[in-house]
Amino acid sequence: MSVSRNPKIVAYSSEMNDNSAESFAAVFRQHFPTADITVLEGGKKPDREHLKDAEILLMQSSGYEQCIEDAKNVKWIQFTSAGFDGLSSHVKRTGRLPPCKVTRMAGTFSTVMAEYVIANIVSHERKFSTMREAQKSKRWAKEDVWIFRPLSELTIGIVGAGDIGCVVAKHCKSFGMRTIGLVSRERSETERSPYIDEYRLLPQLDSLLSESDVICSVLPSTPATKEFYKEDTFKACTKKPIFINIGRGTAVKSTTLIKSLSNGWLSAAVLDVTDPEPLPPDSPLWDTPGVTISPHVCGYVPEKWLTRLFISNYTKYLKGEQLEHEIDVSTLEK
């Protein structure tokens, strides 16, 4: 693959606003003053004239389908997220694999996502919501909140113990938690994370659920993970755990969560992701006791972090070196 000395870069996202895109471009130009980079206005149909000459596309995967047909000369696509749902769904629908290298922002979001998990575990165990309600009524509710479980006494089951899941485990181990990781295949000794105390395979999901005080779902959106948690899956939860979903909302139906909470299989659910997104106002999840909802923000990071990773890959690209976090497109399901 021949690489231009000053390749044309087009930055576009269906969700990117002008300010954030221009801010990214400004930081990038500080490192590469002569770079040929064009920022397309987010939320609008991308300009065909700019796309046809682009050698590099920087965008969220949700914009893949809008751009790929007109990007006739593209040689590298850098997604601004760890997930690549937009690419996967396009390949599944059309049967056409990307015509170029595709990379993702793996390793960039893991720390802040792990912090989100820890924050919600602490909030749940220390009964912060109870304290807030007591404060509203000006009630000194010491008797309601003084008994709690320290994190060192808890076990977390991480469903999807990949890159992000292992960083979650690392943060949990720093608080003395026991960690169990669910994976789809056996891990060799060199592949195993020192922060996962025990690995379990898919057929052992019930044992993970039964031993966990916290269940953290980090599953991506794939055909294999759609409705991964069946209607009665959480029946195996004997410790009434808190369920935290930082993966994808398609892994579990709202009705499954509501049933599991009403039956006492789960004590609470923290959902940074839902299906659909945005969650419609008439969804019963909004009013379900024990549910905390955030608008898919647990992985948001400072713009400079994303710029730093793109600059690293851009430098490698110019030198003809292997790019970081390249997606093996041959594994995408047609």
Side-chain angles (χ1 to χ4, degrees), residues 56-124:
I56 300 171
L57 291 179
L58 175 70
M59 61 182 183
Q60 293 182 336
S61 77
S62 57
Y64 179 82
E65 189 157 336
Q66 295 170 276
C67 295
I68 195 60
E69 296 303 324
D70 293 321
K72 303 297 184 184
N73 296 298
V74 66
K75 295 178 180 177
W76 168 36
I77 297 173
Q78 172 73 63
F79 288 144
T80 59
S81 60
F84 44 95
D85 303 359
L87 171 61
S88 298
S89 60
H90 177 81
V91 172
K92 184 179 180 182
R93 187 180 64 80
T94 65
R96 295 197 299 272
L97 294 174
C100 62
K101 291 179 178 291
V102 184
T103 53
R104 62 193 183 98
M105 290 285 184
T108 308
F109 310 95
S110 305
T111 298
V112 293
M113 294 175 77
E115 291 172 356
Y116 176 93
V117 172
I118 293 294
N120 278 284
I121 296 172
V122 173
S123 176
H124 177 73

Side-chain angles (χ1 to χ4, degrees), residues 208-237:
L208 177 146
L209 296 177
S210 67
E211 296 175 41
S212 297
D213 300 289
V214 181
I215 300 164
C216 180
S217 184
V218 203
L219 295 174
S221 178
T222 69
T225 61
K226 184 175 176 59
E227 296 178 20
F228 177 84
Y229 303 97
K230 309 302 181 190
E231 185 178 1
D232 292 332
T233 294
F234 295 113
K235 208 172 191 176
C237 298

